[in-house]
Each structure stands twice: as C-alpha cells, then as structure tokens.
Amino acid sequence: MLRLTDSEGSTISLDLTPTHVALMCSESEIYSWDRSGRLLSYFDGTSHFWRGLSGEAVLRRTTTDHGKQVRRLAPAYADTVVREAQQRCALRQWRDVEPLAYDRIRYYDPAQDRQSYRTIYGRIPIFPPDAYLSVVLQATVGCAWNRCTFCDFYRGEGYRVRPPEQFRAHAVAVREFLGDSALLRKRVFLGDADVMGVGTKWLEKDLQIASEVFPDRPCQGFCEAVSVLRRKSTDLQRFRMLGLARVAIGAESGHDPLLALWKKRSRPGDVAEAVTALKHAGYSVGVIFLAGVPAEFEAAHLADTERLAFRLGLGEGDLVYLSPLVPSVNGVEQANALHTVLRPLEANGVRIAAYDIRQIVY
Ligand code: SF4
C-alpha cells in the first residue's frame, strides 16, 4: 500500500495488486481499476458504481430504511465517472512507481474500448451472478428456443453456433481484448443460453479450446434441462473432465401449468432428471427459480417449487437462485417467501442467493 499526497495536501492510499489497482482517497471515495486501466468500481460512501467491460454500469444504493435502489447507467453517463476517476488518479508520484499501470488508467479511452467490445461480443445480456468476473466466451450466440414469454434477453436475435475454429478465433480475440485484466477473471462462462445446445464433439472441442486459451479456469454455463437429457452419462463425464464444472439451469417454477403458459421447454420432471444426472457426473449446479408470478399462481408456484427443490438432491457447492421477474409487483416478497421455505436446504451446504437481473453487467 502506497501513501501519497494529493494536490490539496490530503493523504490518499494506493493499492497495486497483480489483478487490480485501488485508490482510497477517503472512506467515502474509493476507486478500483483492472490491470488494463478500465474502471471497475467507485464507492462514494452511500452508492456503489460497478462498470462492466461493455461500458454499461450499475449504481447500487442502500436507502436509509435498509432498502436497495438499483439503477442502470447508460455508457455515456458511466463515461463521466470514468473521466472523473482518471482525473483523481492523476498523481505523478505514483507514475514513478508503476508507469505502465498509471498510463493505462490515465489514458484509457472508454469509447474506443466499447467499440472493441462490440466487435468481439455484440451483446451479453445475461449470465448467472457467480459468473461475475468470468471470461465470457460465446460458443453460441443467442437462444435456440427463444420462446419463453417471460424472457426477452435474445428476442429478435438469430441463433448461431460457432464452429470450433471460429470459436478459437473468438477466444483469442477476447484474450487480446482483456489483456492483463484477464488475471482478474478466474473462470470461463461459456455462452450464451445453453452450453449443451451444441453437438457433443463440438462441445468437447470448445472446452479444449477454452482451456488452451484461458488455462486453469473452470468453465460454467447456462443449460437447458432437456439438453442434458439428450446426453449419455459418459458424455457428461467427459465434459466434466474437460473443465465444465458448473451449470445453471433455469427451472423457473415447479408448477407445470405455469411453465406451459410461459412456453418453457424444460418441465419440472426434466429438471429433476437432469440435475440428478449432472450431480452423478460430478457437476455443481445452480438452479434458478423465478419470483413475482401472477397472484392466481402464487400458492401453487410456492408449493410446487418447494417440492421440486427438495427433490433435486442439491448439496455442498450447489446454488439456488431466486430471481424476481422484471417487471413484477411482488417479486421481492415472493423471493423472500421462497427463501423461507427453501432455507432447510442450507443445512446441506446449498447456498440460496438473490439473482437480480437488473444488476448484471459484463
Ligand atoms: S430458454 Fe432461456 S434464454 Fe431462451 S427464451 Fe427461454 S428463458 Fe430465455
């Protein structure tokens, strides 16, 4: 930790780690950047600003009554925070210590970086919260199903699978784009909507490519239960051996009529069978349940979701995500009610976590 003096004579602290740079001007003014000079976060004493690689940012504030306010910021607005942070870090004293890190932060161009991001990725609308600070690699783009009525993440977008050699070129482009900031990202998220939606041989090849380009990082991805059920147990074991360690399954609800109404392809029976197969093959699993369903379905949704969750054989290392629908009038209340009935799972080592899709930025 370095102690420096700013232009007004105040002492500020600078922390230079292998993965990031943090500047603490006071308890209510803290910045952090990755090792490529991109602003990651800013805390002003009451609000937390998180910025993703896309340039989008989220502002989270705890209100005086301990509630939470979340606001997404457009890139142009987020850029003003980037510029202010750049001004704040402009202390020649630390340039002498680490000129490369200093120059990368000081002369980082957010508009140019966004352009590079768009060229490589297009759009990453969603991934699970535990994939935050992963390297996202798009083996596929979009969602092959794209019909669930509650989901518009990929609405209007075509679906395509990248053949392995195209996927390799994409992974190499991501590595170049991330530069030294890749050190911060300890896992790979294999996008987009269904990691097992591609053929067995291609998925094996994709996993090999991911571990060659980003070594020593376990892979994870979203997964449709029906796609798991198409695999032989030996395929699941082979994917596991090749580095696919965790999958997140959108179960959404245990109440089948609601899933039929939502045009969900995988049903509760599929989810139960798929999770059993995955656990048997050594995966850790995240299961996503939605909250904020219409009042006429609420009682059945809570009861059937509880029943399904306890059938899944979840244990140590597994996750249950409770995700309020956006928009919904009672999403948070229903998520709390689900948390209450599912709490006994925690005794088995299952973590139950909130999944607020408004806070996801890559
Ligand atoms: S399968 Fe998943 S990503 Fe595709 S439409 Fe349904 S919820 Fe959305």
Side-chain angles (χ1 to χ4, degrees):
M1 183 88 77
L2 289 172
R3 302 262 176 226
L4 307 168
T5 309
D6 71 8
S7 54
E8 284 153 22
S10 306
T11 301
I12 61 176
S13 310
L14 186 76
D15 198 11
L16 295 155
T17 78
T19 54
H20 67 276
V21 175
L23 183 73
M24 282 150 279
C25 303
S26 69
E27 282 187 2
S28 58
E29 191 184 1
I30 303 171
Y31 304 90
S32 76
W33 294 266
D34 70 20
R35 279 295 187 162
S36 294
R38 301 177 175 105
L39 184 67
L40 291 168
S41 69
Y42 164 56
F43 178 64
D44 71 0
T46 52
S47 302
H48 246 121
F49 167 95
W50 298 100
R51 182 173 180 272
L53 288 169
S54 64
E56 280 186 298
V58 166
L59 196 66
R60 282 206 303 254
R61 196 164 79 85
T62 305
T63 54
T64 42
D65 58 353
H66 303 294
K68 289 231 174 355
Q69 281 180 349
V70 180
R71 196 152 63 92
R72 282 183 90 95
L73 306 177
Y77 185 83
D79 285 0
T80 60
V81 183
V82 172
R83 299 278 184 220
E84 282 165 21
Q86 283 175 318
Q87 293 299 326
R88 203 65 176 101
C89 87
L91 301 167
R92 303 304 293 185
Q93 305 154 63
W94 79 271
R95 189 181 187 283
D96 298 337
V97 182
E98 273 222 37
L100 183 63
Y102 177 95
D103 288 349
R104 281 178 176 170
I105 293 173
R106 190 74 185 87
Y107 303 111
Y108 168 74
D109 180 342
Q112 194 182 59
D113 201 40
R114 273 205 304 281
Q115 184 53 45
S116 307
Y117 174 95
R118 271 198 297 273
T119 307
I120 292 166
Y121 285 120
R123 215 167 64 91
I124 309 283
I126 191 71
F127 53 84
D130 61 312
Y132 178 66
L133 289 184
S134 291
V135 175
V136 175
L137 298 178
Q138 291 173 293
T140 62
V141 179
C143 169
W145 178 249
N146 218 351
R147 274 177 250 176
C148 303
T149 55
F150 58 86
C151 165
D152 61 3
F153 289 125
Y154 305 103
R155 194 64 48 81
E157 284 183 23
Y159 172 74
R160 67 195 161 92
V161 180
R162 285 197 162 110
E165 282 319 305
Q166 273 185 29
F167 176 65
R168 180 186 295 280
H170 167 72
V172 169
V174 170
R175 185 177 63 194
E176 280 164 18
F177 171 66
L178 291 175
D180 287 346
S181 73
L183 277 176
L184 187 66
R185 298 173 184 270
K186 307 287 187 211
R187 293 188 203 147
V188 166
F189 179 82
L190 216 51
D192 279 334
D194 183 6
V195 69
M196 293 204 196
V198 300
T200 299
K201 289 289 163 222
W202 277 19
L203 179 51
E204 287 179 3
K205 196 77 196 133
D206 289 346
L207 289 166
Q208 282 162 352
I209 291 167
S211 70
E212 280 164 34
V213 181
F214 291 97
D216 305 321
R217 289 171 176 85
C219 277
Q220 63 185 115
F222 281 126
C223 191
E224 267 297 308
V226 290
S227 300
V228 177
L229 298 181
R230 283 204 301 265
R231 308 295 174 165
K232 293 192 221 123
S233 60
T234 47
D235 293 337
L236 294 179
Q237 282 159 10
R238 178 128 175 91
F239 302 150
R240 180 68 195 85
M241 245 177 51
L242 290 170
L244 187 60
R246 182 198 287 276
V247 293
I249 292 191
E252 330 299 4
S253 173
H255 188 52
D256 195 60
L258 183 56
L259 294 174
L261 185 75
W262 279 342
K263 296 192 168 48
K264 183 77 192 174
R265 191 164 44 143
S266 304
R267 300 304 181 75
D270 302 322
V271 171
E273 219 183 307
V275 172
T276 304
L278 288 164
K279 296 302 304 167
H280 192 68
Y283 290 78
S284 72
V285 179
V287 184
I288 303 156
F289 293 115
L290 298 178
V293 307
E296 65 269 33
F297 286 105
E298 180 165 354
H301 171 61
L302 291 178
D304 290 350
T305 298
E306 177 185 2
R307 205 167 297 128
L308 174 62
F310 282 94
R311 263 176 82 189
L312 297 178
L314 300 175
E316 198 69 43
D318 296 324
L319 274 152
V320 169
Y321 287 119
L322 303 176
S323 183
L325 284 158
V326 178
S328 65
V329 281
N330 56 350
V332 173
E333 291 75 9
Q334 258 184 36
N336 290 339
L338 275 172
H339 196 159
T340 302
V341 295
L342 300 183
R343 202 179 294 283
L345 288 171
E346 291 173 340
N348 304 338
V350 178
R351 273 198 302 133
I352 302 177
Y355 184 173
D356 182 346
I357 59 170
R358 297 168 307 164
Q359 298 195 24
I360 301 290
V361 284
Y362 174 54

